[in-house]
């Protein structure tokens, strides 16, 4: 197989990025912020398209983060700016309603709106917020969850609400589903807030309980290569909603609240072959997460690398064949990674574009990346972008 020279990009160092956000705040608002908070993007290692069926997921936070430099003001005005575009918004905190704010500011305003139950009526909610989002946009790496979760950390600290991490996760989810109007399942916000450095996050979406799982690839000579396929997300929202509806139909037909309560044998009873395949993905994917977790409890990633890779591959194949959420770019990236010797590879996130991950030997990163790049060139696809994913700490204060 041919290979092509590639660059493995890295996220900006966290401290420098936080200092930059603080400096931009000063430029924008003319005074120093009270603090800088940030939240990371994520990759999902396994457990895809199961969160909205009470399933199990295993995400990790990545090095790319969204920063929020912010200060409280003695008013009820919320002023929002971002380094990434020219939008300058001045909102009345008391007048926030779903549908009233559009674009990225809806994710910030939505979090303030969703945190209302924790805000005493007499408290003024004025604040100035400068956003510096460094999670690649449209790459399926949860740039919007990172934005919501960075905003939630800042608002919590500025208003002294006393919310728990889980309450902030739920507020970020509500902001996305009820305020911004994207009906996603909670995986992304949980990963962004609750992930621990050096660990993957075992997430049970039935009650959003979590447990850190050791996932220190670097010390074992392994790495997780992210490929942003840069495939255009087309019809993403409609297709995502359609898959959710298929899963709900399957659960209803089986007489269970969600597919978490169904076994593979039950799925065979579903009459419609398409709905049966959708349910087959969800039920087998939840089982794969269980097996993945058991392997990690039984030994190191290195000791189990072949079996873990087989589960990653099976996850992708199920998303391609049963759930039908891949696009040619995702399949080509996965096939090329496997051809280049990856232990396992799969799409990550919602699909229909976005990114893939490959579990590889650390010293093979450039070779695997260049094999993928060559396969893309051969197909005439836009050149992909590559990152190495280190498991980082979830949302918190930087300065
Ligand atoms: C998107 C959604 C998540 C989850 C994944 C698929 O990332 O935001 O809630 O459903 O797709 O696993």
């Amino acid at each position: 197989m041919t290979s092509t020279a590639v660059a493995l990009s890295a996220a900006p160092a966290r401290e420098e990025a936080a200092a930059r956000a603080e400096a931009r705040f000063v430029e924008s608002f003319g005074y120093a912020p009270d603090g800088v908070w940030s939240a990371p993007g994520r990759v999902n290692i396994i457990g895809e398209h199961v969160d909205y069926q009470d399933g199990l997921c295993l995400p990790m936070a990545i090095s790319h983060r969204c920063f929020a430099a912010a200060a409280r003001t003695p008013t009820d005005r919320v002023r929002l700016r971002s380094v990434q575009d020219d939008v300058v918004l001045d909102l009345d905190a008391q007048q926030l309603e779903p549908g009233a704010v559009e674009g990225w500011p809806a994710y910030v305003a939505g979090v303030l709106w969703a945190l209302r139950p924790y805000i005493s009526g007499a408290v003024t909610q004025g604040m100035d917020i400068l956003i510096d989002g460094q999670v690649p946009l449209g790459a399926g790496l949860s740039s919007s969850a990172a934005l919501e979760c960075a905003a939630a950390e800042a608002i919590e600290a500025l208003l002294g609400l006393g919310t728990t991490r889980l309450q902030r996760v739920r507020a970020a989810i509500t902001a996305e589903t009820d305020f911004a109007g994207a009906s996603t399942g909670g995986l992304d916000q949980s990963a962004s807030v609750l992930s621990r450095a050096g660990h993957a996050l075992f997430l049970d979406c039935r009650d959003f309980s979590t447990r850190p799982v050791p996932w220190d690839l670097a010390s074992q000579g392994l790495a997780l290569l992210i490929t942003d396929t840069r495939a255009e997300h087309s019809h993403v929202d409609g297709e995502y909603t359609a898959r959710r509806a298929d899963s709900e139909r399957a659960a209803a037909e089986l007489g269970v609240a969600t597919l978490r309560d169904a076994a593979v044998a039950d799925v065979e009873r579903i009459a419609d072959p398409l709905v049966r395949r959708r349910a087959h993905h969800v039920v087998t994917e939840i089982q794969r997460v269980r097996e993945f977790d058991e392997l990690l409890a039984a030994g190191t990633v290195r000791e189990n690398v072949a079996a873990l890779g087989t589960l990653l591959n099976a996850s992708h194949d199920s998303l391609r064949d049963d759930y039908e959420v891949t696009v040619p770019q995702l399949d080509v990236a996965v096939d090329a990674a496997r051809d280049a010797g990856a232990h396992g590879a799969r799409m990550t996130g919602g699909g229909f574009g976005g990114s893939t991950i490959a579990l590889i030997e650390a010293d093979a990163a450039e070779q695997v990346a260049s094999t993928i790049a060559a396969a893309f060139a051969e197909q005439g696809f836009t050149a992909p972008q590559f990152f190495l994913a280190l498991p980082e700490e979830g949302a918190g204060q930087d300065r």
Side-chain angles (χ1 to χ4, degrees):
M1 170 128 348
T2 43
S3 64
T4 302
V6 290
L8 288 171
S9 347
R14 183 170 168 181
E15 262 181 44
E16 279 168 36
R20 183 177 101 151
E22 183 175 287
R24 290 295 172 87
F25 181 100
V26 176
E27 279 167 31
S28 294
F29 296 108
Y31 65 99
D34 295 344
V36 179
W37 294 265
S38 68
R42 63 96 189 91
V43 288
N44 194 14
I45 301 168
I46 195 162
E48 212 69 84
H49 278 283
V50 299
D51 58 349
Y52 47 77
Q53 283 292 314
D54 283 354
L56 304 171
C57 308
L58 196 74
M60 61 174 247
I62 59 173
S63 314
H64 294 79
R65 305 178 78 86
C66 178
F67 293 83
R72 186 146 183 210
T73 58
T75 64
D76 263 324
R77 306 302 302 183
V78 177
R79 294 195 294 172
L80 286 178
R81 292 183 177 194
S82 137
V83 172
Q84 277 68 38
D85 68 21
D86 295 332
V87 177
V88 180
L89 265 192
D90 187 340
L91 304 164
D92 184 341
Q94 304 290 353
Q95 303 293 325
L96 299 176
E97 290 305 332
V101 186
E102 289 189 343
W104 69 263
Y107 294 96
V108 181
V111 170
L112 182 57
W113 175 80
L115 284 169
R116 273 191 182 169
Y118 305 103
I119 304 175
S120 119
V123 165
T124 57
Q125 298 163 38
M127 55 189 80
D128 290 338
I129 305 183
L130 182 283
I131 296 292
D132 190 355
Q134 305 198 345
V135 181
L137 297 178
L141 300 174
S142 292
S143 54
S144 34
L147 171 59
E148 292 151 10
C149 297
E153 292 303 304
I155 294 166
E156 156 61 38
L158 293 182
L159 300 184
L161 302 179
T163 56
T164 63
R165 283 177 167 263
L166 189 55
Q167 286 168 334
R168 295 199 287 284
V169 169
R170 288 190 187 278
I173 296 172
T174 303
E176 180 144 339
T177 57
D178 296 5
F179 194 92
S183 70
T184 55
L187 158 71
D188 312 333
Q189 296 79 6
S190 304
S192 185
V193 173
L194 302 169
S195 289
R196 309 311 309 255
H199 293 77
L201 186 76
F202 184 89
L203 167 67
D204 184 338
C205 299
R206 208 195 284 274
D207 55 6
F208 286 94
S209 58
T210 56
R211 143 172 79 72
V213 175
W215 183 255
D216 182 8
L217 300 184
S219 69
Q220 301 171 54
L222 293 162
L224 201 65
L225 177 71
I226 303 179
T227 303
D228 171 7
T229 66
R230 305 180 69 200
E232 292 229 349
H233 286 235
S234 47
H235 312 301
V236 190
D237 294 350
E239 294 285 357
Y240 185 91
T241 309
R243 294 305 179 282
R244 281 188 77 138
D246 290 344
S247 301
E248 283 158 19
R249 258 179 78 189
E253 190 169 337
L254 294 177
V256 291
T258 62
L259 292 174
R260 173 70 176 278
D261 298 321
V264 182
D266 299 329
V267 169
E268 302 309 322
R269 302 200 326 257
I270 297 173
D272 182 319
L274 181 82
V275 177
R276 196 188 313 138
R277 280 195 285 125
R278 302 290 193 249
H280 187 260
H281 165 73
V282 175
V283 174
T284 58
E285 182 76 354
I286 293 172
Q287 184 55 27
R288 282 186 284 275
V289 177
R290 278 203 190 91
E291 288 169 27
F292 204 93
D293 182 51
E294 279 161 20
L295 286 168
L296 291 176
T300 62
V301 181
R302 169 61 73 195
E303 283 161 358
N304 292 296
V305 77
L308 293 169
T310 301
L311 288 167
L312 295 177
N313 288 339
S315 169
H316 182 84
D317 297 352
S318 175
L319 288 156
R320 181 191 60 211
D321 301 336
D322 280 345
Y323 222 59
E324 296 182 281
V325 294
T326 69
V327 291
Q329 286 88 337
L330 291 169
D331 295 330
V332 166
V334 161
D335 288 344
R338 292 176 188 170
D339 287 346
H343 297 290
R346 59 180 293 274
M347 58 154 273
T348 189
F352 303 107
S355 294
T356 64
I357 50 168
L359 180 58
I360 59 173
E361 294 297 316
D363 58 11
E366 287 200 7
Q367 186 234 325
V368 176
S370 65
T371 305
I372 296 171
F376 269 51
E378 207 175 298
Q379 297 283 336
F381 297 158
T382 304
Q385 273 200 308
F386 301 100
F387 312 102
L388 285 174
L390 293 173
E392 298 285 348
E393 189 71 16
Q397 182 160 16
D398 292 83
R399 295 169 78 86

